[in-house]
Amino acid sequence: MTSRPAEPDRIRPDEAAASADSSAETSYAPFAHLTAPNAALYRQVMRVFLLAKERFAVHLRPEDVHAALPSEHRPAAPDAVVKALDSLVGWGNLRADPDTARVTAVEDFYRRRFIYQLTRAGEAAEQALSVYDEALGRRGALQAVALHDIVTQLRALLVIAAEHEEGEPDPAKAHLALSTLTNRFEALAENARAFMGSLQRTIDLHGVEVEVFLAYKDRLIQYLERFIQDLITLGGRIARLIGELEEQGRVGVLLRLAAAREAADAAPDEAESAEARARARWAAKWAGLSAWFVSADGRESQARLLRGRALGAIPQLLAVVRQLNERRAGRSDRSADFRTLARWFAEAPDAEARHRLWRAAFGLYPARHLTVDADTLADRAARPVAASTPWAEAEPLRISPQLRRTGSYERRGKPRKVQDRSEQRRLLAEIAAKQAEEIAAARARLATDGITRLSALGELDPMAFGLFLRLLGDALATWRPGMTTTVTTSNDGTMDIRLTALDDGTTAEVRTPGGVFRGPDHLVEITDLTAGVPAREAR
């Protein structure tokens, strides 16, 4: 049993207003309306006061609040709004002052007439709730445009750093470029984190209708593929620019200038430490930017991890689509089986039928060491024992003396025949030999006679294309900023690949029965290390 916080007693608003501002600074009472009954009405009333403040309306009367409430949240009786206003005054969200503008007779002084306005604590609480609601509703995005902006700002920083060789760079230019760079980077990182979180919720089908998901799937996959392509091409360029800026301490000079410019506006009593704090803050921002795009000391960069997460999301989305199609086609799953079983239990004519269904569904049979034969079942049917009978008062079960004496119970009889599995082994051997021949043919198809371009590989069958993707992935996994050539061996040690980047901007196309694979063209040399080795040894 749980309890809910009760609403405060009806107190005099003038007494509550005197202590609202002072108590709001030492407690979180302005947030109490979130967990109180009628919380939705309290939120709408506070929104009315926020909108009124934007229109420079300071005070509101109860009838003004009642008229401004949305129709779906407007109580039929105005007294409910008055009660909500008084409760908010008690929590410190609102302030109540006597409404003397409408006093026309002495009797009016004795009537409860108040006008209400926001307190500082109430306004702060609503601003905090607005930020909270915005953060929860934020889906985020994979901002490929931000990658282009980061490249542009890094190039601008290189130009500014080059001025250091001729003289002192302009502090204003350095500070502006660094500020723009870090702002774009922080937006990119935060939006990517939010997007991947919302993407996982989409994959998990939390609150997503089937038709909506199927319509959204194709656009989402295209969106992911486009961002992954931009991240691969621009991520390496950004890493190279960061490396150039870090050479010979160029970035250190720029960070020092930005910190000095910020510290120039510091108060006199903080002038000595302001520049050191600003320098440390800029150094931390640059370190975060570098770690996001550059792998170092055995640590994968965040850009590489994000690319892996995005690549992994595509097959997960396709798996969800396959699952949805199976459900729509009528294929059974565990949840459908349990629902069907529950319907059978509900339709069973009596308890005995439900017991038989339970035993058939969940395999609750008698223990094998207890002898329950046809005579035992007939005796139980003739003299049933109620389920509420204590076990000490029920008829005992007869246990084999052999089990009681030795702890084991074995039935005598012929041993089971050994099953002949030679046919299955022959089929498995044929399958393994066929797969080995296909892999050998794929290796022979990919092996190049010297150095060639990726665009010259031509069309590949599915087996050769899968092997090509694994080789290409192994080569790119060893690629580091500043490299133009990499050499690696496949995980199974059967092939070598040498990959060299080109700077002519050409694009390679590899055609397969399933589509066309496109990417930046490279020089490639693939060597089959098993050439001349017997097939048994190659496997």
Side-chain angles (χ1 to χ4, degrees), residues 163-429:
E163 298 177 359
H164 182 60
E165 301 175 0
E166 304 174 358
E168 187 72 10
D170 189 349
K173 290 182 180 179
H175 183 260
L176 181 60
L178 282 172
S179 299
T180 305
L181 172 65
T182 54
N183 289 337
R184 294 300 287 156
F185 165 67
E186 290 172 357
L188 169 68
E190 177 62 24
N191 278 279
R193 183 197 62 78
F195 178 82
M196 295 310 296
S198 62
L199 175 62
Q200 188 59 49
R201 291 192 294 272
T202 301
I203 293 174
D204 294 339
L205 294 181
H206 290 171
V208 178
E209 297 181 0
V210 174
E211 299 297 336
V212 175
F213 177 81
L214 293 177
Y216 178 60
K217 174 262 304 178
D218 291 333
R219 289 180 286 126
L220 181 59
I221 291 179
Q222 294 176 3
Y223 181 73
L224 287 172
E225 290 176 341
R226 185 172 64 252
F227 177 78
I228 291 169
Q229 182 179 1
D230 290 339
L231 187 60
I232 292 174
T233 56
L234 296 178
R237 194 179 307 171
I238 291 173
R240 287 195 295 272
L241 291 172
I242 290 175
E244 293 178 15
L245 280 169
E246 291 179 347
E247 291 178 359
Q248 302 176 357
R250 295 179 183 177
V251 71
V253 176
L254 300 177
L255 297 179
R256 177 178 55 81
L257 292 174
R261 191 166 187 267
E262 282 190 359
D265 295 330
D269 56 341
E270 298 180 354
E272 296 181 359
S273 59
E275 184 172 351
R277 290 198 304 271
R279 181 82 176 271
R281 185 167 59 253
W282 278 110
K285 290 182 178 181
W286 180 263
L289 172 66
S290 178
W292 218 85
F293 289 100
V294 181
S295 302
D297 300 330
R299 172 191 51 78
E300 294 287 345
S301 65
Q302 292 296 319
R304 187 179 294 273
L305 295 176
L306 176 62
R307 186 179 68 190
R309 286 280 306 279
L311 284 172
I314 295 177
Q316 291 182 28
L317 285 168
L318 296 178
V320 171
V321 173
R322 183 170 60 252
Q323 179 183 359
L324 292 175
N325 288 333
E326 290 177 353
R327 289 182 181 178
R328 299 174 77 185
R331 292 188 59 177
S332 180
D333 57 8
R334 181 173 297 180
S335 60
D337 291 343
F338 277 119
R339 285 193 295 269
T340 302
L341 185 60
R343 186 173 65 252
W344 289 350
F345 273 108
E347 295 173 354
D350 50 31
E352 184 178 356
R354 285 190 286 271
H355 280 294
R356 288 199 304 269
L357 179 59
W358 179 274
R359 286 194 297 269
F362 298 102
L364 294 182
Y365 303 106
R368 287 183 296 175
H369 64 272
L370 300 178
T371 303
V372 179
D373 51 15
D375 295 337
T376 304
L377 294 177
D379 184 66
R380 289 289 179 86
R383 293 183 300 169
V385 179
S388 59
T389 304
W391 67 270
E393 299 177 6
E395 183 179 353
L397 294 174
R398 305 302 176 183
I399 300 177
S400 169
Q402 176 74 10
L403 175 64
R404 183 177 301 170
R405 183 169 58 253
T406 63
S408 63
Y409 179 69
E410 297 180 0
R411 294 182 180 273
R412 296 185 179 275
K414 294 182 179 180
R416 292 184 178 181
K417 294 182 179 180
V418 178
Q419 188 174 358
D420 184 10
R421 300 187 182 275
S422 57
E423 182 65 20
Q424 289 87 339
R425 286 196 294 269
R426 186 186 63 79
L427 291 176
L428 290 176

Side-chain angles (χ1 to χ4, degrees), residues 452-455 476 479 499-502 506 508 520-524:
T452 185
R453 284 175 172 260
L454 284 178
S455 54
L476 293 177
W479 202 280
L499 198 64
T500 304
L502 297 175
T506 56
D521 203 0
H522 287 70
L523 294 178
V524 63

Side-chain angles (χ1 to χ4, degrees), residues 39 47 62 82 109 122 138 152 175 186 256 308 313 319 326 365 407 437 485 515:
R47 288 193 179 97
V82 175
F109 279 101
R138 183 178 186 181
T152 301
H175 183 260
E186 290 172 357
R256 177 178 55 81
E326 290 177 353
Y365 303 106
E437 292 175 359
T485 301

